[in-house]
Amino acid sequence: MSLALIVALPFLGAVLPGLAIRAGRTAAAAATGAVTLLAFLLLLSHAPAVLRGEVVQTRIDWLPALGLNATFFLDGLAFLFAGLILGIGLLVILYARFYLAKSDPMGQFYSYLLLFQGAMAGIVLSDNILLLLIFWELTSLSSFLLIGYWKHLPEARQGARMALAVTGGGGLAMIAGMLILGNITGSYDLTVILQNKQAIQASPWYLPALILILLGAFTKSAQFPFHFWLPHAMAAPTPVSAYLHSATMVKAGLFLMARLWPVLAGTPEWFWIVSTAGLVSLVMAAAIAFFKDDLKALLAYSTVSQLGLITMLLGFGTKAAATVAIFHIINHAVFKAALFMTAGIVDHAAHTRDLRRLGGLRNLMPVTFGIALLASLSIAGIPPLNGFYSKEMMLAEAAETVWITPWAMGVLATLGALFSVAYSVRFLAHGFLGPVREDYPHQPHDPGPGLWSAPAFLAVLIVVIGLFPMATAAWLVNVAAGATTGQPVAVGIYLWPGLKSAALWMSLAAVGGGLMSLGAYPRLRARWDAAPRPDAKRLFDGIVEPAAALARSVTEGLHNGSFGRALTLAVLAIAGAALWAFSGAEHLAGTRAGLTATPAPIALWAVMLLAALATPVLHRRRLTALILTGVVGLLIAPLFMLFSAPDLALTQVSVEVVTILLMLLALHFLPKETPAETPLPRRLRDAGVAGIAGLGIGALAYAMMTRAPAFAPISQYHLAQSKPGAGGTNAVNTIIVDFRGYDTFGEIIVLGIAALVIFALSETLLRSPSVVARLASTPRKRESGDRHPMMLVVSTRLLLPMAMMVGVYIYLRGHNLPGGGFVAGLVFAIAYLMQYMASGYAWTHARQRFDHHVLIGWGVLIAALSGVGAWFLGLPFLTSGYAYVTLWPLEEFELTTAAIFDLGVFLSVLGAVLLTLASLSRLALRQGERANTRAYDSEGDR
Amino acid sequence: MEALLASAIGLLTAVGIYLMLRQRTFPVILGLTFLSYAVNLFLFASGRLAVNAAPIIGLTKPYADPLPQALVLTAIVISFGMTAVIMIMAIGGYLSAGHDRIDLDRGADE
């Protein structure tokens, strides 16, 4: 359970910063930090087991038949990554508290950060690959929010979009690849997939799966040729860059390659694709980084290059190389996060990140300089810092690898290392060394400890790992690399490789060459600037813009803001598809014996036909059209009655009354006539479209009714179980309150929400000055002689208790005879609405002692409680029970929990209907309708 | 009888679509109401027609199919909620914009 909790905690905690921000920015940061710390401690509680080489698992079955389960597992590799995500996360939270400006919405920032953190933890802990894919896409989404955090900057929005398009697109490819893997092995659990190396590599689908998965990994880890999004993502606030673009998100691709290494690696395809992409990224990005002036751009390309190094090592496919890759993942996370934070501090202090405008900061910002010095020398691979070891071991592996020729890999890897030295030394030399300048945009000085303590902690790690690699890092590398490769690993990390080691000489060449390049920087830069280079952003835009234009033209062609056009197209498209399907097969006439028509239904049908046909003809007079609509609706009720659906007939009558009342009230605010504005051809065309739809639906209905059902209806079960299972003889009611109680429960909630939406909308309307002015200026016509006709007032008041009695009766008998909560609620509602109509809204409302909102709430609550009750008996939600009770002087009667549920339905329906109508009535009050003060007001009260 | 109901369903659909193709909110909502009638009847008809066969256990056998009935019962109530929401939107649109046309101003139909 606790593994699921590690993943769930950041998601659950994501609401906290938004709430805590009201208590100040430190509170928000503390809340975020507390959530992360808790998750981190939970993770650490598993450390002993992981170090023993055990695999911790958590399994929550959801849809086992579809392979959809929330399964998590924690081994050495997952432990390493989860530790990085949560550990660096803590430092970033601290750093961000002091980095973000007062005007930045910090609560939002931390919420996004926690969402991202949860998604990352989900990726590394997921056992089920489908679950992993969901978390994978969640990181793309949450990183979109983080990169675009400064929404007002166009480059932030563009960078966020590009990152989302590239990494999200790669994720889609990966979904396909993962599904292929699942198909080959017959399981979506990683733990099973990882056991099936032979089956996967022998499958003809191995190469497609490999390419698709690598597309996902390369896009996420910004590997050539998908590296271009990362520099653009630097528009993000620096804490985001330090977190996402050095330690975590860009490493998700590496994680996946490491995770699937046991089953995917070791083939020539893997070697060529992965090591080549890694090598190209390593050398090319390091070279570009050397020529970047923006500190963060330099670091971004440096990240691409370093990730390339790790990718290349994973590509080699040997246990030793994979071990070095794991070691370098740790080192890179430590020094790169420190460097990003340093760049942020410089930006903060000097108000620029441009190397051409910096220099001489050594004396002005000594603390920052110390951190930068350690971190960049570590990248450069200078002993005895942590970066030295993994670079040395990388060069040793590269020297032994044959790629095209025996020496090409070694030479190119050395070249990459050379550029790494060059850019890291340039970062130092052009940023911190040299004379103090006079023209900084802002006079720089060291920030407070809040800002530098996080990178300083990382700088300490750089030195400690560098001095005592075997004590501090080797154990972690061993368990993580052991989990990656599936074989026991005992790494040896030594400072002195020996004079015979090729890596030593390669390293020396790299350092010497790097320093020489820096010396020749002005000349190299001139040549670099003169050389033609493809602009990745322009290429990307060249693809995206036509695609967006195409999408826009399709959308606007279908929907240009005209509802009629969209509806016409939809009707014609559906009709066309139906016709196409129909003409593709042979058809026989239906053979089911029908009912013979009797005079009464024929008469009913004729009246309905007339009313329906008259509506479009007379529709411009809205009141007439409304009355005709009501006639049609009311005539449907006897139709239901005739065809053995008394419950439907009751519901139809009562809903129809309420609906017509609502529309009458609404018509009060709307124009009473529809102007004649469509020319005859247009009307004929519309009639044609409507005719096609009507003919199609009518034919479909006829074809359906003249045939027996294709499958035996499942309602035989409901009929058979209605009495013994649900304790009621009305099968329709038992389905609603018992068999399909869950649906009904959802439904009353929807109804309640609809009523609340209406209330909220009317509230908003009343708050708009222009709406209120328009309401007040609408002339009120005198529509009748009496404001509240005496006969109506008296009779409705007399009717109220009787209607309620009928409502209670309908509710009580509903379980066994036609009726039930829905109808009873509507009957009650109509009884109240009659009072509104007769005595006026204000008068009636003042005499109601209950609030409509509360009614809806109670209804839903009672329905829920009646369902929850089943839990105490160990039964699923909404399992009903019933008992027969004898209570003197009554006869034996039945008590069912379904009746309580139905009471909830009743209350919700009543509340929803009353709230809806009351919301409209409030608009009318605002229009200047005076409330009557006396019980009976007549002409004199006007 | 089946032909009667089928033709009624077809006609209600046609009237509904025609009214929904109008330019103003009120007829469109009426059209939606007609369409709801048609859809509810259609769903109901999927249980096939039967007379004197209300699904009340203990009354005359055989029983009409209760499942489409339960489905349509809730559909009727929900369609009321839907109509009410659209209605308040129509009122709000009219009161805010000063007209009750449904189409956006840009790219008026034809």
Side-chain angles (χ1 to χ4, degrees):
Chain A
M1 203 56 215
S2 78
L3 288 186
L5 202 58
I6 295 175
V7 178
L9 263 176
F11 285 111
L12 297 175
V15 293
L16 287 182
L19 298 173
I21 192 69
R22 290 166 197 218
R25 297 189 296 159
T26 308
T32 316
V35 170
T36 309
L37 187 67
L38 196 59
F40 191 52
L41 292 177
L42 266 175
L43 179 74
L44 289 185
S45 71
H46 292 293
V50 171
L51 289 181
R52 284 195 302 273
E54 291 170 17
V55 176
V56 185
Q57 279 181 303
T58 295
R59 183 178 190 89
I60 303 166
D61 279 344
W62 180 40
L63 292 175
L66 291 179
L68 289 176
N69 303 308
T71 49
F72 298 93
F73 81 119
L74 179 76
D75 61 358
L77 182 66
F79 181 77
L80 165 66
F81 271 90
L84 283 179
I85 292 158
L86 298 170
I88 305 255
L90 277 173
L91 297 177
V92 168
I93 290 164
L94 169 68
Y95 178 79
R97 160 65 188 88
F98 297 94
Y99 181 85
L100 290 178
K102 249 196 189 107
S103 53
D104 295 326
M106 194 179 269
Q108 219 176 66
F109 178 83
Y110 280 128
S111 291
Y112 294 164
L113 199 74
L114 280 177
L115 286 180
F116 171 77
Q117 193 180 67
M120 274 309 296
I123 289 183
V124 300
L125 293 178
S126 287
D127 187 355
N128 188 298
I129 50 175
L130 301 175
L131 190 66
L132 186 150
L133 289 168
I134 290 172
F135 286 122
W136 185 276
E137 295 293 10
L138 273 180
T139 59
S140 294
L141 286 177
S142 51
S143 76
F144 170 80
L145 294 173
L146 283 168
I147 297 171
Y149 175 67
W150 281 327
K151 307 179 193 53
H152 53 279
L153 301 176
E155 57 270 29
R157 299 195 300 267
Q158 286 163 10
R161 271 208 301 274
M162 189 195 266
L164 183 66
V166 176
T167 60
L172 292 181
M174 203 177 81
I175 290 179
M178 290 293 215
L179 290 179
I180 295 178
L181 272 195
N183 229 343
I184 296 175
T185 56
S187 167
Y188 290 114
D189 285 343
L190 267 173
T191 32
V192 177
I193 292 173
L194 291 181
Q195 307 297 326
N196 283 295
K197 180 177 179 168
Q198 274 80 22
I200 290 170
Q201 298 198 349
S203 161
W205 287 94
Y206 167 72
L207 190 61
L210 177 69
I211 291 173
L212 289 167
I213 290 174
L214 287 179
L215 272 176
F218 285 178
T219 48
K220 201 76 157 184
S221 285
Q223 290 302 289
F224 177 82
F226 306 107
H227 59 284
F228 55 88
W229 68 265
L230 187 60
H232 288 283
M234 289 300 130
T238 302
V240 174
S241 310
Y243 195 33
L244 274 65
H245 306 134
S246 73
T248 53
M249 186 173 94
V250 290
K251 293 229 168 74
L254 301 181
F255 168 79
L256 199 79
M257 286 189 266
R259 184 87 282 174
L260 295 174
W261 192 90
V263 288
L264 293 182
T267 62
E269 292 94 334
W270 168 273
F271 173 75
W272 283 105
I273 300 174
V274 178
S275 62
T276 306
L279 182 67
V280 172
S281 305
L282 164 65
V283 179
M284 180 202 68
I288 298 176
F290 182 52
F291 296 108
K292 282 291 163 188
D293 292 321
D294 180 4
L295 282 182
K296 279 180 78 178
L298 185 154
L299 292 178
Y301 279 104
S302 152
T303 303
V304 173
S305 163
Q306 297 282 316
L307 297 174
L309 187 162
I310 300 168
T311 305
M312 179 184 87
L313 284 169
L314 288 170
F316 288 171
T318 61
K319 181 178 116 178
T323 309
V324 180
I326 295 291
F327 186 30
H328 199 65
I329 285 174
I330 305 175
N331 291 335
H332 178 253
V334 173
F335 60 60
K336 189 53 68 63
L339 274 178
F340 265 116
M341 291 182 187
T342 317
I345 293 175
V346 169
D347 191 11
H348 225 252
H351 289 196
T352 181
R353 303 191 304 243
D354 194 332
L355 280 175
R356 288 167 301 189
R357 308 201 56 187
L358 293 168
L361 297 179
R362 176 183 72 245
N363 298 317
L364 298 170
M365 306 173 69
V367 177
T368 315
F369 172 64
I371 299 165
L373 180 71
L374 289 171
S376 43
L377 289 184
S378 183
I379 290 206
I382 306 298
L385 300 170
N386 66 348
F388 164 75
Y389 301 99
S390 42
K391 184 157 295 178
E392 197 77 0
M393 291 157 84
M394 177 278 283
L395 289 173
E397 293 300 326
E400 287 171 13
T401 305
V402 178
W403 183 80
I404 304 180
T405 64
W407 49 267
M409 178 61 86
V411 169
L412 286 172
T414 311
L415 190 65
L418 183 149
F419 278 117
S420 307
V421 174
Y423 69 68
S424 11
V425 182
R426 179 166 174 251
F427 181 92
L428 277 181
H430 291 187
F432 292 87
L433 305 181
V436 173
R437 298 169 66 144
E438 301 296 324
D439 59 344
Y440 301 113
H442 186 263
Q443 185 56 35
H445 55 82
D446 263 329
L451 215 44
W452 60 252
S453 51
F457 176 77
L458 292 168
V460 170
L461 281 185
I462 291 172
V463 178
V464 171
I465 297 178
L467 291 178
F468 313 103
M470 290 306 283
T472 51
W475 56 272
L476 189 56
V477 174
N478 283 343
V479 288
T484 305
T485 56
Q487 302 154 27
V489 171
V491 70
I493 308 170
Y494 305 108
L495 194 58
W496 178 243
L499 278 177
K500 281 187 196 153
S501 153
L504 175 70
W505 301 108
M506 290 157 86
S507 251
L508 284 177
V511 173
L515 290 175
M516 270 159 45
S517 315
L518 187 67
Y521 178 75
R523 264 178 301 142
L524 290 174
R525 176 65 188 252
R527 236 183 252 174
W528 173 262
D529 287 344
R533 292 184 304 278
D535 180 1
K537 169 130 173 57
R538 197 170 306 146
L539 288 175
F540 177 79
D541 288 345
I543 297 170
V544 169
E545 266 164 27
L550 180 69
R552 201 175 304 125
S553 70
V554 170
T555 311
E556 289 186 355
L558 289 173
H559 197 115
N560 63 348
S562 159
F563 178 66
R565 183 189 168 86
L567 182 62
T568 305
L569 285 173
V571 167
L572 293 180
I574 293 170
L579 197 65
W580 178 70
F582 183 78
S583 57
E586 280 186 35
H587 299 281
L588 299 170
T591 50
R592 185 175 178 274
L595 302 168
T596 20
T598 44
I602 293 179
L604 210 66
W605 174 80
V607 178
M608 190 196 272
L609 219 61
L610 278 178
L613 276 174
T615 317
V617 178
L618 303 174
H619 82 92
R620 284 182 40 226
R621 282 153 65 195
R622 291 185 173 178
L623 189 62
T624 315
L626 180 56
I627 292 170
L628 288 170
T629 309
V631 168
V632 173
L634 288 175
L635 285 178
I636 289 177
L639 215 59
F640 281 140
M641 195 67 225
L642 177 73
F643 294 126
S644 314
D647 278 288
L648 288 190
L650 277 173
T651 318
Q652 177 71 27
V653 167
S654 39
V655 168
E656 198 55 40
V657 170
V658 175
T659 309
I660 297 299
L661 284 181
L662 168 93
M663 297 229 233
L664 269 175
L665 198 50
L667 193 52
H668 177 72
F669 303 99
L670 293 171
K672 311 294 176 279
E673 302 242 318
T674 305
E677 52 190 345
T678 39
L680 184 66
R682 164 79 200 257
R683 293 209 297 275
L684 287 177
R685 197 197 71 184
D686 291 347
V689 172
I692 291 173
L695 276 178
I697 297 290
L700 189 62
Y702 185 71
M704 178 178 72
M705 284 186 280
T706 48
R707 285 167 173 77
F711 307 98
I714 58 169
S715 46
Q716 288 312 316
Y717 167 82
H718 300 120
L719 285 168
Q721 288 297 318
S722 184
K723 184 71 187 161
T729 54
N730 181 359
V732 176
N733 186 270
T734 51
I735 289 175
I736 287 177
V737 300
D738 195 327
F739 295 113
R740 306 296 304 168
Y742 221 153
D743 295 354
T744 312
F745 184 56
E747 170 147 10
I748 58 173
I749 292 175
V750 170
L751 198 63
I753 291 174
L756 291 177
V757 165
I758 291 163
F759 174 76
L761 278 174
S762 70
E763 192 83 337
T764 316
L765 286 176
L766 284 175
R767 245 182 252 142
S768 149
S770 65
V771 167
V772 173
R774 190 164 280 132
L775 271 175
S777 65
T778 325
R780 284 179 52 76
K781 275 196 295 181
R782 208 181 131 167
E783 278 136 0
S784 63
D786 284 325
R787 207 155 80 96
H788 300 296
M790 173 78 82
M791 289 299 282
L792 187 62
V793 171
V794 174
S795 57
T796 51
R797 284 182 201 170
L798 208 62
L799 215 58
L800 182 67
M802 290 197 263
M804 286 180 167
M805 196 174 68
V806 172
V808 171
Y809 172 66
I810 286 179
Y811 160 73
L812 284 178
R813 69 176 219 155
H815 212 45
N816 290 316
L817 290 166
F822 274 116
V823 182
L826 288 163
V827 168
F828 259 67
I830 293 170
Y832 276 114
L833 296 181
M834 299 292 281
Q835 308 304 313
Y836 284 127
M837 287 200 301
S839 307
Y841 170 72
W843 189 89
T844 315
H845 195 70
R847 276 150 191 83
Q848 275 175 28
R849 304 254 166 104
F850 56 88
D851 185 40
H852 306 140
H853 299 82
V854 178
L855 221 53
I856 300 176
W858 272 115
V860 173
L861 203 65
I862 288 175
L865 287 176
S866 82
V868 169
W871 281 347
F872 296 104
L873 302 173
L875 296 166
F877 185 61
L878 281 176
T879 311
S880 74
Y882 63 95
Y884 290 94
V885 185
T886 318
L887 191 69
W888 190 88
L890 303 173
E891 286 181 44
E892 181 190 73
F893 64 96
E894 184 186 23
L895 276 180
T896 69
T897 58
I900 304 173
F901 180 81
D902 216 10
L903 180 67
V905 172
F906 164 78
L907 289 176
S908 315
V909 170
L910 177 61
V913 173
L914 287 183
L915 184 61
T916 302
L917 275 289
S919 303
L920 281 173
S921 305
R922 279 161 14 106
L923 287 177
L925 272 189
R926 206 41 183 271
Q927 205 177 16
E929 185 181 296
R930 282 180 306 108
N932 39 340
T933 46
R934 285 192 279 150
Y936 300 97
D937 63 342
S938 56
E939 196 69 16
D941 286 332
R942 290 174 173 278
Chain B
M1 208 89 101
E2 276 77 5
L4 286 188
L5 188 63
S7 60
I9 293 173
L11 181 73
L12 291 177
T13 309
V15 170
I17 297 281
Y18 180 82
L19 287 175
M20 284 172 78
L21 287 172
R22 300 304 90 208
Q23 309 276 307
R24 305 286 175 151
T25 51
F26 195 79
V28 170
I29 296 174
L30 286 188
L32 207 57
T33 311
F34 269 93
L35 202 60
S36 308
Y37 294 153
V39 170
N40 287 342
L41 280 175
F42 185 88
L43 285 180
F44 170 70
S46 71
R48 308 302 187 269
L49 303 186
V51 286
N52 295 326
I56 309 285
I57 310 298
L59 293 186
T60 50
K61 275 199 168 187
Y63 306 116
D65 194 337
L67 205 58
Q69 294 195 16
L71 203 71
V72 171
L73 197 154
T74 49
I76 293 172
V77 179
I78 280 292
S79 55
F80 161 73
M82 182 188 69
T83 310
V85 171
I86 304 174
M87 214 48 169
I88 187 83
M89 282 161 65
I91 293 173
Y94 176 67
L95 290 179
S96 330
H99 67 79
D100 62 349
R101 271 190 285 277
I102 50 165
D103 291 349
L104 294 181
D105 287 337
R106 72 184 168 103
D109 199 9
E110 276 128 280

